[in-house]
């Protein structure tokens, strides 16, 4: 029938859309992982970004013309989770969510000093070497590309489920004629490609390998921002030379905190993907990276908005250290037992022991006993 033919045509277009974005993501990750792309003169970061923007512009026009009535509900796109701060036109990687500032009713970008600190953070990142800057920008673009592909696969799976619910015979026949895809299985199985598909809470199956690639890209972005935030905080970053602070509403420690908050956002994005794919080892490793974020923020002695003005810096540090401990405990709980991955388990254990030691020392120093007496506390 004509409706059935239209439905099959729509699904084929959606599949091509998903495959195109998936291959764009592969291309971006390949470029970021291998400097020879640039050294041999094959292409540069700006060429890739221009290509991705052209793909986005062309695909948007096709989707608007063909599927104006389609109910498109992105669930993975980093543009949505970042509240529009990450797009193919804005690839700095700096993301500060309103939820990070609990006591601000409006967006954090409207808070006095925060806008200047964010602009300074972006300016410092823009002064990275060409290779490092291209790697960061292309990895952010890879995250966007993979997000588009996963969103499309989820939409296709939900559409197939809806058709099966309305007409089981028609829906199954339609699904049977769909070509094999990398992210969505037909009827929950894909024996031809051999993917081990993990169902999401919504019931839409997505290949764990695709989620792992998105998680890897997010993790790499977080590590770049974490390292840059550490350098800014220690005044060892060559990219801060010549950058002045026009107002007294913020300092370089606040700029570092903005970078660390952005790194935490990307680590959390990667954690979502690894959790959905049940990748236990990468979940534990990402928890360790989140722990590093919290420990650096604890040492920064910066009271960010979201804390009461009366809160002390020591109290602020203890909050971040406790959060670091919580991440490591969750890493152990995720792995379950040491036999699952002895090397990763031992690394998490060592990090947890060191963090607990630092937290204990901080709490002792901030206690009344620690401030009034230099004598050691004897417990009986």
């Amino acid at each position: 029938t004509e409706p059935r033919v239209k439905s099959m045509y729509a699904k084929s277009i959606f599949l091509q859309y998903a495959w195109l974005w998936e291959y764009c993501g592969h291309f971006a990750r390949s470029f970021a992982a291998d400097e020879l792309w640039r050294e041999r003169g094959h292409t540069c970061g700006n060429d890739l970004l221009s290509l991705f923007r052209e793909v986005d512009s062309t695909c948007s026009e096709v989707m608007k013309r063909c599927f104006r009535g389609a109910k498109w509900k992105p669930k993975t796109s980093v543009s949505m989770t970042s509240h529009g701060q990450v797009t193919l036109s804005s690839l700095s990687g700096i993301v500060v969510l309103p939820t990070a500032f609990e006591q601000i009713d409006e967006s954090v970008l409207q808070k006095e000093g925060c806008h200047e600190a964010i602009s300074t953070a972006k300016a410092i990142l823009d002064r990275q070497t060409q290779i490092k800057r291209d790697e960061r920008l292309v990895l952010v673009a890879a995250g966007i590309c993979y997000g588009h592909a996963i969103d499309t696969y989820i939409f296709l799976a939900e559409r197939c489920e809806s058709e099966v619910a309305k007409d089981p015979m028609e829906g199954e026949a339609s699904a049977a004629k769909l070509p094999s895809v990398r992210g969505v299985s037909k009827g929950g199985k894909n024996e031809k490609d051999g993917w081990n598909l993990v169902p999401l809470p919504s019931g839409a199956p997505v290949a764990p390998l695709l989620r792992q690639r998105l998680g890897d890209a997010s993790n790499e972005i977080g590590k770049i921002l974490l390292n840059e935030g550490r350098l800014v905080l220690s005044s060892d970053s060559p990219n801060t030379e010549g950058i002045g602070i026009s107002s007294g509403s913020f300092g370089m420690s606040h700029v570092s905190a903005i970078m660390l908050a952005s790194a935490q956002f990307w680590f959390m994005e990667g954690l979502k993907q690894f959790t959905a794919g049940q990748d236990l080892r990468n979940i534990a490793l990402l928890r360790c990276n989140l722990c590093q974020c919290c420990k650096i923020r604890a040492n920064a002695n910066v009271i960010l908005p979201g804390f009461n003005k009366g809160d002390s810096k020591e109290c602020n540090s203890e909050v971040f250290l406790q959060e670091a401990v919580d991440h490591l405990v969750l890493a152990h709980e995720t792995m379950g037992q040491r036999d699952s991955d002895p090397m990763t388990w031992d690394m998490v254990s060592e990090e947890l022991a060191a963090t607990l030691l630092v937290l204990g020392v901080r709490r002792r120093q901030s206690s009344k006993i620690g401030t009034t007496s230099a004598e050691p506390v004897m417990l009986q």
Side-chain angles (χ1 to χ4, degrees), residues 95-307:
V95 179
V96 182
L97 299 177
T99 53
F101 301 84
E102 298 173 357
Q103 297 179 359
I104 298 179
D105 295 329
E106 298 180 352
S107 171
V108 64
L109 299 179
Q110 299 175 5
K111 180 68 177 177
E112 181 182 0
C114 289
H115 183 73
E116 291 85 349
I118 292 172
S119 299
T120 303
K122 292 180 178 179
I124 291 173
L125 291 174
D126 286 340
R127 299 182 65 174
Q128 289 179 312
T129 61
Q130 183 73 35
I131 292 178
K132 289 184 176 180
R133 185 168 63 252
D134 282 353
E135 178 186 5
R136 173 176 51 84
L137 296 175
V138 170
L139 280 172
V140 176
I144 296 175
C145 295
Y146 281 134
H148 286 332
I150 292 176
D151 280 336
T152 309
Y153 289 142
I154 292 175
F155 180 77
L156 263 176
E158 291 176 345
R159 185 162 181 167
C160 289
E161 290 176 359
S162 176
E163 290 182 359
V164 170
K166 293 179 180 178
D167 189 344
M169 296 298 294
E170 192 75 15
E172 290 178 5
S174 176
K177 290 187 177 182
L178 276 175
S180 298
V181 299
R182 301 173 186 272
V184 179
S185 67
K186 295 178 288 188
K189 296 182 180 179
N190 196 334
E191 298 177 356
K192 180 178 179 180
D193 291 341
W195 292 106
N196 180 21
L197 298 173
V198 178
L200 297 175
S202 63
V206 176
L209 182 58
L210 181 56
R211 289 197 175 279
Q212 185 183 48
R213 286 168 174 166
L214 176 54
D216 287 339
S218 299
N219 182 44
E220 290 300 319
I221 298 166
K223 285 161 61 177
I224 291 171
L225 294 172
L226 176 64
N227 183 59
E228 194 65 38
R230 184 188 290 113
L231 292 176
V232 169
L233 187 62
S234 61
S235 302
D236 292 336
S237 175
N239 303 321
T240 58
E241 296 179 3
I243 293 183
I245 299 177
S246 57
S247 66
S249 57
F250 74 100
M252 278 300 174
S253 56
H254 292 85
V255 175
S256 174
I258 292 295
M259 291 183 178
L260 294 173
S262 301
Q264 187 172 5
F265 166 82
W266 287 104
F267 286 142
M268 291 302 297
E269 287 297 301
L271 186 62
K272 292 177 186 176
Q273 303 306 319
F274 290 138
T275 301
Q278 298 180 359
D279 191 339
L280 303 185
R281 181 176 183 273
N282 278 323
I283 291 174
L285 293 176
L286 258 180
R287 291 286 184 189
C288 290
N289 288 338
L290 285 166
C291 168
Q292 291 298 318
C293 273
C294 296
K295 290 172 72 173
I296 295 174
R297 292 181 71 177
N299 293 329
N301 287 330
V302 177
I303 301 180
L304 292 176
F307 290 89

Side-chain angles (χ1 to χ4, degrees), residues 340-354:
S340 59
D341 190 333
M343 185 178 296
T344 304
W345 179 278
D346 291 343
M347 184 181 66
V348 174
S349 298
E350 291 175 4
E351 189 69 31
L352 178 58

